[in-house]
mmCIF file of all heavy atoms in Angstrom:
data_model
loop_
_atom_site.group_PDB
_atom_site.id
_atom_site.type_symbol
_atom_site.label_atom_id
_atom_site.label_comp_id
_atom_site.label_asym_id
_atom_site.label_seq_id
_atom_site.Cartn_x
_atom_site.Cartn_y
_atom_site.Cartn_z
ATOM 1 N N LYS F 1 108.099 4.021 73.275
ATOM 2 C CA LYS F 1 107.121 5.046 72.864
ATOM 3 C C LYS F 1 107.751 6.302 72.260
ATOM 4 O O LYS F 1 107.064 7.292 72.053
ATOM 5 C CB LYS F 1 106.187 5.416 74.016
ATOM 6 C CG LYS F 1 105.301 4.254 74.468
ATOM 7 C CD LYS F 1 104.346 4.674 75.558
ATOM 8 C CE LYS F 1 103.226 5.543 75.035
ATOM 9 N NZ LYS F 1 102.347 6.006 76.105
ATOM 10 N N VAL F 2 109.050 6.256 71.970
ATOM 11 C CA VAL F 2 109.667 7.315 71.159
ATOM 12 C C VAL F 2 109.549 6.863 69.709
ATOM 13 O O VAL F 2 110.084 5.820 69.343
ATOM 14 C CB VAL F 2 111.130 7.566 71.553
ATOM 15 C CG1 VAL F 2 111.765 8.601 70.628
ATOM 16 C CG2 VAL F 2 111.216 8.028 73.010
ATOM 17 N N VAL F 3 108.822 7.628 68.902
ATOM 18 C CA VAL F 3 108.409 7.137 67.588
ATOM 19 C C VAL F 3 109.030 7.871 66.403
ATOM 20 O O VAL F 3 108.797 7.500 65.260
ATOM 21 C CB VAL F 3 106.859 7.175 67.470
ATOM 22 C CG1 VAL F 3 106.227 6.222 68.476
ATOM 23 C CG2 VAL F 3 106.313 8.596 67.653
ATOM 24 N N ALA F 4 109.809 8.924 66.679
ATOM 25 C CA ALA F 4 110.414 9.676 65.574
ATOM 26 C C ALA F 4 111.559 10.524 66.082
ATOM 27 O O ALA F 4 111.684 10.797 67.287
ATOM 28 C CB ALA F 4 109.369 10.577 64.900
ATOM 29 N N LEU F 5 112.388 10.952 65.152
ATOM 30 C CA LEU F 5 113.414 11.938 65.447
ATOM 31 C C LEU F 5 112.880 13.298 65.031
ATOM 32 O O LEU F 5 112.533 13.509 63.874
ATOM 33 C CB LEU F 5 114.704 11.604 64.695
ATOM 34 C CG LEU F 5 115.956 12.360 65.126
ATOM 35 C CD1 LEU F 5 117.201 11.555 64.788
ATOM 36 C CD2 LEU F 5 116.065 13.739 64.472
ATOM 37 N N GLY F 6 112.763 14.204 65.985
ATOM 38 C CA GLY F 6 112.226 15.517 65.650
ATOM 39 C C GLY F 6 111.998 16.372 66.882
ATOM 40 O O GLY F 6 112.058 15.868 68.005
ATOM 41 N N GLU F 7 111.778 17.644 66.737
ATOM 42 C CA GLU F 7 111.781 18.279 65.451
ATOM 43 C C GLU F 7 113.178 18.783 65.139
ATOM 44 O O GLU F 7 113.870 19.316 66.002
ATOM 45 C CB GLU F 7 110.756 19.426 65.391
ATOM 46 C CG GLU F 7 111.009 20.552 66.379
ATOM 47 C CD GLU F 7 109.932 21.621 66.359
ATOM 48 O OE1 GLU F 7 110.011 22.514 65.491
ATOM 49 O OE2 GLU F 7 109.028 21.555 67.206
ATOM 50 N N VAL F 8 113.579 18.604 63.903
ATOM 51 C CA VAL F 8 114.907 19.010 63.441
ATOM 52 C C VAL F 8 114.727 19.712 62.097
ATOM 53 O O VAL F 8 113.670 19.633 61.479
ATOM 54 C CB VAL F 8 115.846 17.799 63.288
ATOM 55 C CG1 VAL F 8 116.000 17.075 64.619
ATOM 56 C CG2 VAL F 8 115.338 16.821 62.224
ATOM 57 N N GLY F 9 115.769 20.401 61.644
ATOM 58 C CA GLY F 9 115.636 21.018 60.327
ATOM 59 C C GLY F 9 116.422 22.293 60.165
ATOM 60 O O GLY F 9 117.564 22.404 60.619
ATOM 61 N N LEU F 10 115.787 23.256 59.516
ATOM 62 C CA LEU F 10 116.434 24.523 59.177
ATOM 63 C C LEU F 10 115.533 25.686 59.567
ATOM 64 O O LEU F 10 114.327 25.637 59.336
ATOM 65 C CB LEU F 10 116.709 24.598 57.670
ATOM 66 C CG LEU F 10 117.519 23.459 57.046
ATOM 67 C CD1 LEU F 10 117.537 23.604 55.525
ATOM 68 C CD2 LEU F 10 118.936 23.426 57.606
ATOM 69 N N ASP F 11 116.142 26.723 60.143
ATOM 70 C CA ASP F 11 115.389 27.934 60.474
ATOM 71 C C ASP F 11 116.236 29.150 60.117
ATOM 72 O O ASP F 11 117.153 29.528 60.846
ATOM 73 C CB ASP F 11 115.031 27.954 61.962
ATOM 74 C CG ASP F 11 113.970 29.005 62.291
ATOM 75 O OD1 ASP F 11 114.090 30.137 61.756
ATOM 76 O OD2 ASP F 11 113.046 28.703 63.054
ATOM 77 N N TYR F 12 115.898 29.740 58.950
ATOM 78 C CA TYR F 12 116.633 30.904 58.476
ATOM 79 C C TYR F 12 115.953 32.211 58.895
ATOM 80 O O TYR F 12 116.391 33.289 58.511
ATOM 81 C CB TYR F 12 116.757 30.868 56.949
ATOM 82 C CG TYR F 12 117.612 29.739 56.415
ATOM 83 C CD1 TYR F 12 117.675 29.493 55.048
ATOM 84 C CD2 TYR F 12 118.363 28.918 57.265
ATOM 85 C CE1 TYR F 12 118.457 28.466 54.540
ATOM 86 C CE2 TYR F 12 119.143 27.884 56.769
ATOM 87 C CZ TYR F 12 119.183 27.664 55.398
ATOM 88 O OH TYR F 12 119.963 26.641 54.893
ATOM 89 N N TYR F 13 114.881 32.090 59.665
ATOM 90 C CA TYR F 13 114.203 33.282 60.199
ATOM 91 C C TYR F 13 114.936 33.774 61.447
ATOM 92 O O TYR F 13 115.310 34.933 61.548
ATOM 93 C CB TYR F 13 112.747 32.962 60.515
ATOM 94 C CG TYR F 13 111.982 34.133 61.097
ATOM 95 C CD1 TYR F 13 111.447 35.116 60.268
ATOM 96 C CD2 TYR F 13 111.777 34.240 62.478
ATOM 97 C CE1 TYR F 13 110.742 36.195 60.801
ATOM 98 C CE2 TYR F 13 111.078 35.311 63.017
ATOM 99 C CZ TYR F 13 110.556 36.285 62.177
ATOM 100 O OH TYR F 13 109.870 37.350 62.704
ATOM 101 N N TRP F 14 115.150 32.851 62.390
ATOM 102 C CA TRP F 14 115.839 33.222 63.630
ATOM 103 C C TRP F 14 117.353 33.148 63.475
ATOM 104 O O TRP F 14 118.084 33.920 64.115
ATOM 105 C CB TRP F 14 115.391 32.318 64.784
ATOM 106 C CG TRP F 14 113.961 32.539 65.182
ATOM 107 C CD1 TRP F 14 112.918 31.679 65.021
ATOM 108 C CD2 TRP F 14 113.406 33.711 65.796
ATOM 109 N NE1 TRP F 14 111.749 32.228 65.496
ATOM 110 C CE2 TRP F 14 112.018 33.479 65.983
ATOM 111 C CE3 TRP F 14 113.939 34.939 66.205
ATOM 112 C CZ2 TRP F 14 111.169 34.420 66.560
ATOM 113 C CZ3 TRP F 14 113.090 35.871 66.780
ATOM 114 C CH2 TRP F 14 111.728 35.608 66.949
ATOM 115 N N ASP F 15 117.846 32.220 62.658
ATOM 116 C CA ASP F 15 119.288 32.106 62.404
ATOM 117 C C ASP F 15 120.110 32.047 63.694
ATOM 118 O O ASP F 15 121.149 32.712 63.823
ATOM 119 C CB ASP F 15 119.768 33.279 61.528
ATOM 120 C CG ASP F 15 119.766 32.937 60.045
ATOM 121 O OD1 ASP F 15 119.781 31.741 59.704
ATOM 122 O OD2 ASP F 15 119.750 33.865 59.217
ATOM 123 N N GLU F 16 119.645 31.227 64.632
ATOM 124 C CA GLU F 16 120.362 31.119 65.906
ATOM 125 C C GLU F 16 121.672 30.339 65.766
ATOM 126 O O GLU F 16 122.581 30.487 66.584
ATOM 127 C CB GLU F 16 119.474 30.443 66.954
ATOM 128 C CG GLU F 16 118.257 31.257 67.377
ATOM 129 C CD GLU F 16 118.618 32.441 68.244
ATOM 130 O OE1 GLU F 16 119.695 32.422 68.867
ATOM 131 O OE2 GLU F 16 117.826 33.408 68.301
ATOM 132 N N SER F 17 121.749 29.503 64.760
ATOM 133 C CA SER F 17 122.988 28.775 64.444
ATOM 134 C C SER F 17 123.386 29.117 63.011
ATOM 135 O O SER F 17 122.511 29.379 62.171
ATOM 136 C CB SER F 17 122.776 27.265 64.557
ATOM 137 O OG SER F 17 122.456 26.878 65.874
ATOM 138 N N PRO F 18 124.692 29.135 62.701
ATOM 139 C CA PRO F 18 125.122 29.390 61.316
ATOM 140 C C PRO F 18 124.445 28.419 60.352
ATOM 141 O O PRO F 18 124.246 27.247 60.670
ATOM 142 C CB PRO F 18 126.639 29.158 61.369
ATOM 143 C CG PRO F 18 127.007 29.383 62.801
ATOM 144 C CD PRO F 18 125.834 28.900 63.604
ATOM 145 N N ARG F 19 124.098 28.891 59.171
ATOM 146 C CA ARG F 19 123.323 28.073 58.238
ATOM 147 C C ARG F 19 124.056 26.816 57.789
ATOM 148 O O ARG F 19 123.426 25.765 57.627
ATOM 149 C CB ARG F 19 122.894 28.924 57.033
ATOM 150 C CG ARG F 19 121.905 30.005 57.421
ATOM 151 C CD ARG F 19 121.390 30.796 56.243
ATOM 152 N NE ARG F 19 120.437 31.820 56.706
ATOM 153 C CZ ARG F 19 119.744 32.636 55.911
ATOM 154 N NH1 ARG F 19 119.885 32.529 54.585
ATOM 155 N NH2 ARG F 19 118.925 33.524 56.409
ATOM 156 N N ASP F 20 125.357 26.910 57.604
ATOM 157 C CA ASP F 20 126.082 25.705 57.208
ATOM 158 C C ASP F 20 126.079 24.668 58.324
ATOM 159 O O ASP F 20 126.003 23.454 58.067
ATOM 160 C CB ASP F 20 127.510 26.049 56.774
ATOM 161 C CG ASP F 20 128.338 26.697 57.874
ATOM 162 O OD1 ASP F 20 127.762 27.360 58.767
ATOM 163 O OD2 ASP F 20 129.583 26.560 57.848
ATOM 164 N N VAL F 21 126.106 25.138 59.565
ATOM 165 C CA VAL F 21 126.042 24.228 60.705
ATOM 166 C C VAL F 21 124.651 23.595 60.788
ATOM 167 O O VAL F 21 124.519 22.386 61.010
ATOM 168 C CB VAL F 21 126.387 24.970 62.014
ATOM 169 C CG1 VAL F 21 126.153 24.072 63.226
ATOM 170 C CG2 VAL F 21 127.831 25.461 61.976
ATOM 171 N N GLN F 22 123.614 24.416 60.613
ATOM 172 C CA GLN F 22 122.248 23.880 60.591
ATOM 173 C C GLN F 22 122.121 22.763 59.566
ATOM 174 O O GLN F 22 121.534 21.704 59.847
ATOM 175 C CB GLN F 22 121.242 24.984 60.242
ATOM 176 C CG GLN F 22 121.037 26.044 61.297
ATOM 177 C CD GLN F 22 119.882 26.975 60.928
ATOM 178 O OE1 GLN F 22 118.827 26.523 60.498
ATOM 179 N NE2 GLN F 22 120.097 28.269 61.085
ATOM 180 N N GLN F 23 122.652 22.991 58.376
ATOM 181 C CA GLN F 23 122.534 22.006 57.301
ATOM 182 C C GLN F 23 123.284 20.718 57.643
ATOM 183 O O GLN F 23 122.763 19.613 57.440
ATOM 184 C CB GLN F 23 123.067 22.606 56.002
ATOM 185 C CG GLN F 23 122.209 23.738 55.465
ATOM 186 C CD GLN F 23 122.881 24.491 54.337
ATOM 187 O OE1 GLN F 23 123.770 23.969 53.663
ATOM 188 N NE2 GLN F 23 122.482 25.740 54.126
ATOM 189 N N ASP F 24 124.498 20.853 58.175
ATOM 190 C CA ASP F 24 125.290 19.668 58.516
ATOM 191 C C ASP F 24 124.608 18.840 59.601
ATOM 192 O O ASP F 24 124.566 17.600 59.516
ATOM 193 C CB ASP F 24 126.685 20.087 58.991
ATOM 194 C CG ASP F 24 127.555 20.617 57.858
ATOM 195 O OD1 ASP F 24 127.207 20.401 56.680
ATOM 196 O OD2 ASP F 24 128.584 21.249 58.164
ATOM 197 N N VAL F 25 124.071 19.513 60.627
ATOM 198 C CA VAL F 25 123.430 18.815 61.739
ATOM 199 C C VAL F 25 122.118 18.186 61.281
ATOM 200 O O VAL F 25 121.765 17.073 61.701
ATOM 201 C CB VAL F 25 123.221 19.777 62.923
ATOM 202 C CG1 VAL F 25 122.357 19.144 64.012
ATOM 203 C CG2 VAL F 25 124.574 20.189 63.502
ATOM 204 N N PHE F 26 121.403 18.871 60.406
ATOM 205 C CA PHE F 26 120.170 18.324 59.840
ATOM 206 C C PHE F 26 120.477 17.036 59.080
ATOM 207 O O PHE F 26 119.827 15.995 59.287
ATOM 208 C CB PHE F 26 119.539 19.375 58.927
ATOM 209 C CG PHE F 26 118.212 19.011 58.333
ATOM 210 C CD1 PHE F 26 117.346 18.120 58.956
ATOM 211 C CD2 PHE F 26 117.794 19.603 57.138
ATOM 212 C CE1 PHE F 26 116.104 17.801 58.395
ATOM 213 C CE2 PHE F 26 116.557 19.304 56.582
ATOM 214 C CZ PHE F 26 115.725 18.394 57.202
ATOM 215 N N ARG F 27 121.475 17.074 58.216
ATOM 216 C CA ARG F 27 121.859 15.875 57.453
ATOM 217 C C ARG F 27 122.229 14.730 58.390
ATOM 218 O O ARG F 27 121.830 13.576 58.175
ATOM 219 C CB ARG F 27 123.043 16.185 56.538
ATOM 220 C CG ARG F 27 122.717 17.039 55.324
ATOM 221 C CD ARG F 27 123.901 17.097 54.375
ATOM 222 N NE ARG F 27 123.622 17.929 53.222
ATOM 223 C CZ ARG F 27 123.945 19.217 53.129
ATOM 224 N NH1 ARG F 27 124.563 19.821 54.142
ATOM 225 N NH2 ARG F 27 123.648 19.910 52.050
ATOM 226 N N ARG F 28 123.019 15.047 59.412
ATOM 227 C CA ARG F 28 123.467 13.993 60.321
ATOM 228 C C ARG F 28 122.304 13.371 61.079
ATOM 229 O O ARG F 28 122.241 12.154 61.239
ATOM 230 C CB ARG F 28 124.502 14.554 61.307
ATOM 231 C CG ARG F 28 124.991 13.527 62.337
ATOM 232 C CD ARG F 28 125.539 12.270 61.675
ATOM 233 N NE ARG F 28 125.669 11.170 62.646
ATOM 234 C CZ ARG F 28 125.577 9.894 62.331
ATOM 235 N NH1 ARG F 28 125.355 9.512 61.072
ATOM 236 N NH2 ARG F 28 125.712 8.963 63.252
ATOM 237 N N GLN F 29 121.343 14.179 61.515
ATOM 238 C CA GLN F 29 120.213 13.623 62.255
ATOM 239 C C GLN F 29 119.316 12.781 61.352
ATOM 240 O O GLN F 29 118.735 11.788 61.798
ATOM 241 C CB GLN F 29 119.435 14.733 62.958
ATOM 242 C CG GLN F 29 120.215 15.325 64.126
ATOM 243 C CD GLN F 29 119.399 16.302 64.943
ATOM 244 O OE1 GLN F 29 118.739 15.958 65.914
ATOM 245 N NE2 GLN F 29 119.445 17.574 64.529
ATOM 246 N N ILE F 30 119.203 13.142 60.092
ATOM 247 C CA ILE F 30 118.471 12.292 59.148
ATOM 248 C C ILE F 30 119.165 10.931 59.033
ATOM 249 O O ILE F 30 118.514 9.886 58.987
ATOM 250 C CB ILE F 30 118.355 12.971 57.764
ATOM 251 C CG1 ILE F 30 117.470 14.221 57.849
ATOM 252 C CG2 ILE F 30 117.783 12.000 56.733
ATOM 253 C CD1 ILE F 30 117.451 15.041 56.572
ATOM 254 N N GLU F 31 120.492 10.952 58.994
ATOM 255 C CA GLU F 31 121.252 9.696 58.938
ATOM 256 C C GLU F 31 121.010 8.850 60.184
ATOM 257 O O GLU F 31 120.832 7.626 60.098
ATOM 258 C CB GLU F 31 122.746 9.997 58.790
ATOM 259 C CG GLU F 31 123.146 10.559 57.440
ATOM 260 C CD GLU F 31 124.594 11.012 57.404
ATOM 261 O OE1 GLU F 31 125.280 10.926 58.455
ATOM 262 O OE2 GLU F 31 125.048 11.457 56.333
ATOM 263 N N VAL F 32 120.998 9.503 61.342
ATOM 264 C CA VAL F 32 120.741 8.788 62.594
ATOM 265 C C VAL F 32 119.361 8.128 62.552
ATOM 266 O O VAL F 32 119.202 6.965 62.929
ATOM 267 C CB VAL F 32 120.854 9.741 63.804
ATOM 268 C CG1 VAL F 32 120.298 9.096 65.070
ATOM 269 C CG2 VAL F 32 122.300 10.166 64.015
ATOM 270 N N ALA F 33 118.359 8.885 62.096
ATOM 271 C CA ALA F 33 117.004 8.338 62.008
ATOM 272 C C ALA F 33 116.972 7.129 61.088
ATOM 273 O O ALA F 33 116.331 6.114 61.397
ATOM 274 C CB ALA F 33 116.034 9.408 61.520
ATOM 275 N N HIS F 34 117.663 7.218 59.962
ATOM 276 C CA HIS F 34 117.674 6.094 59.022
ATOM 277 C C HIS F 34 118.347 4.879 59.643
ATOM 278 O O HIS F 34 117.875 3.739 59.489
ATOM 279 C CB HIS F 34 118.367 6.483 57.720
ATOM 280 C CG HIS F 34 118.357 5.390 56.704
ATOM 281 N ND1 HIS F 34 119.442 4.561 56.485
ATOM 282 C CD2 HIS F 34 117.368 4.947 55.874
ATOM 283 C CE1 HIS F 34 119.137 3.676 55.547
ATOM 284 N NE2 HIS F 34 117.888 3.885 55.166
ATOM 285 N N GLU F 35 119.449 5.103 60.348
ATOM 286 C CA GLU F 35 120.152 3.994 60.993
ATOM 287 C C GLU F 35 119.249 3.273 62.000
ATOM 288 O O GLU F 35 119.345 2.053 62.170
ATOM 289 C CB GLU F 35 121.413 4.520 61.687
ATOM 290 C CG GLU F 35 122.509 4.945 60.714
ATOM 291 C CD GLU F 35 123.574 5.824 61.356
ATOM 292 O OE1 GLU F 35 123.557 5.982 62.608
ATOM 293 O OE2 GLU F 35 124.416 6.357 60.619
ATOM 294 N N LEU F 36 118.358 4.041 62.639
ATOM 295 C CA LEU F 36 117.456 3.477 63.645
ATOM 296 C C LEU F 36 116.081 3.118 63.065
ATOM 297 O O LEU F 36 115.170 2.742 63.804
ATOM 298 C CB LEU F 36 117.295 4.467 64.806
ATOM 299 C CG LEU F 36 118.569 4.746 65.602
ATOM 300 C CD1 LEU F 36 118.319 5.830 66.647
ATOM 301 C CD2 LEU F 36 119.082 3.478 66.269
ATOM 302 N N LYS F 37 115.938 3.271 61.739
ATOM 303 C CA LYS F 37 114.700 2.925 61.032
ATOM 304 C C LYS F 37 113.504 3.721 61.567
ATOM 305 O O LYS F 37 112.428 3.177 61.842
ATOM 306 C CB LYS F 37 114.418 1.417 61.109
ATOM 307 C CG LYS F 37 115.531 0.568 60.508
ATOM 308 C CD LYS F 37 115.219 -0.909 60.575
ATOM 309 C CE LYS F 37 116.340 -1.733 59.943
ATOM 310 N NZ LYS F 37 116.056 -3.184 59.990
ATOM 311 N N MET F 38 113.696 5.043 61.663
ATOM 312 C CA MET F 38 112.660 5.922 62.208
ATOM 313 C C MET F 38 112.371 7.066 61.238
ATOM 314 O O MET F 38 113.249 7.491 60.478
ATOM 315 C CB MET F 38 113.114 6.513 63.546
ATOM 316 C CG MET F 38 113.452 5.487 64.596
ATOM 317 S SD MET F 38 113.899 6.237 66.175
ATOM 318 C CE MET F 38 112.262 6.446 66.888
ATOM 319 N N PRO F 39 111.140 7.595 61.280
ATOM 320 C CA PRO F 39 110.833 8.784 60.491
ATOM 321 C C PRO F 39 111.448 10.035 61.116
ATOM 322 O O PRO F 39 111.861 10.022 62.284
ATOM 323 C CB PRO F 39 109.306 8.846 60.532
ATOM 324 C CG PRO F 39 108.951 8.197 61.831
ATOM 325 C CD PRO F 39 109.972 7.117 62.052
ATOM 326 N N VAL F 40 111.494 11.099 60.323
ATOM 327 C CA VAL F 40 112.052 12.377 60.764
ATOM 328 C C VAL F 40 110.968 13.442 60.692
ATOM 329 O O VAL F 40 110.273 13.577 59.675
ATOM 330 C CB VAL F 40 113.221 12.809 59.858
ATOM 331 C CG1 VAL F 40 113.857 14.092 60.374
ATOM 332 C CG2 VAL F 40 114.260 11.723 59.750
ATOM 333 N N ASP F 41 110.811 14.199 61.775
ATOM 334 C CA ASP F 41 109.838 15.294 61.823
ATOM 335 C C ASP F 41 110.595 16.612 61.636
ATOM 336 O O ASP F 41 111.513 16.919 62.407
ATOM 337 C CB ASP F 41 109.101 15.273 63.160
ATOM 338 C CG ASP F 41 107.938 16.247 63.185
ATOM 339 O OD1 ASP F 41 108.172 17.431 63.522
ATOM 340 O OD2 ASP F 41 106.813 15.837 62.882
ATOM 341 N N ILE F 42 110.203 17.371 60.607
ATOM 342 C CA ILE F 42 111.044 18.462 60.106
ATOM 343 C C ILE F 42 110.419 19.839 60.304
ATOM 344 O O ILE F 42 109.278 20.097 59.941
ATOM 345 C CB ILE F 42 111.320 18.241 58.601
ATOM 346 C CG1 ILE F 42 112.122 16.946 58.425
ATOM 347 C CG2 ILE F 42 112.071 19.427 57.998
ATOM 348 C CD1 ILE F 42 112.136 16.438 57.009
ATOM 349 N N HIS F 43 111.241 20.717 60.882
ATOM 350 C CA HIS F 43 110.930 22.139 61.011
ATOM 351 C C HIS F 43 111.683 22.862 59.893
ATOM 352 O O HIS F 43 112.905 22.728 59.779
ATOM 353 C CB HIS F 43 111.401 22.634 62.383
ATOM 354 C CG HIS F 43 111.379 24.116 62.564
ATOM 355 N ND1 HIS F 43 110.438 24.755 63.355
ATOM 356 C CD2 HIS F 43 112.180 25.098 62.085
ATOM 357 C CE1 HIS F 43 110.661 26.057 63.346
ATOM 358 N NE2 HIS F 43 111.718 26.290 62.582
ATOM 359 N N THR F 44 110.974 23.613 59.079
ATOM 360 C CA THR F 44 111.655 24.430 58.072
ATOM 361 C C THR F 44 110.995 25.797 58.006
ATOM 362 O O THR F 44 109.783 25.894 57.824
ATOM 363 C CB THR F 44 111.671 23.746 56.688
ATOM 364 O OG1 THR F 44 112.334 24.591 55.747
ATOM 365 C CG2 THR F 44 110.285 23.445 56.165
ATOM 366 N N ARG F 45 111.791 26.830 58.208
ATOM 367 C CA ARG F 45 111.262 28.193 58.171
ATOM 368 C C ARG F 45 112.165 29.060 57.304
ATOM 369 O O ARG F 45 113.367 29.184 57.557
ATOM 370 C CB ARG F 45 111.166 28.783 59.582
ATOM 371 C CG ARG F 45 110.439 30.119 59.610
ATOM 372 C CD ARG F 45 110.061 30.540 61.007
ATOM 373 N NE ARG F 45 109.258 31.756 60.958
ATOM 374 C CZ ARG F 45 108.889 32.454 62.031
ATOM 375 N NH1 ARG F 45 109.247 32.042 63.251
ATOM 376 N NH2 ARG F 45 108.166 33.548 61.908
ATOM 377 N N ASP F 46 111.569 29.629 56.268
ATOM 378 C CA ASP F 46 112.293 30.459 55.298
ATOM 379 C C ASP F 46 113.466 29.696 54.686
ATOM 380 O O ASP F 46 114.510 30.287 54.389
ATOM 381 C CB ASP F 46 112.802 31.758 55.955
ATOM 382 C CG ASP F 46 111.679 32.680 56.385
ATOM 383 O OD1 ASP F 46 110.522 32.412 56.018
ATOM 384 O OD2 ASP F 46 111.956 33.666 57.086
#
């Protein structure tokens, strides 16, 4: 009953993680979802 990878993405409003790190981790989690044949639920702010 786990049906998606999420929520993941980018948040430049709070900037709790460095932006380059956010981007790298976002890309990697998309790859993980693809490997497992799952959709990705995305948070994007600013």
Side-chain angles (χ1 to χ4, degrees):
K1 295 183 73 183
V2 176
V3 296
L5 193 155
E7 61 184 277
V8 301
L10 305 173
D11 194 317
Y12 294 172
Y13 179 82
W14 292 112
D15 266 339
E16 293 288 338
S17 297
R19 293 184 180 184
D20 61 332
V21 173
Q22 290 188 45
Q23 292 169 23
D24 289 345
V25 171
F26 184 27
R27 287 189 181 95
R28 178 55 195 151
Q29 289 187 91
I30 293 173
E31 290 172 358
V32 168
H34 182 261
E35 289 163 8
L36 296 175
K37 301 181 179 180
M38 302 183 85
V40 184
D41 189 273
I42 296 165
H43 169 107
T44 179
R45 188 167 185 187
D46 294 350

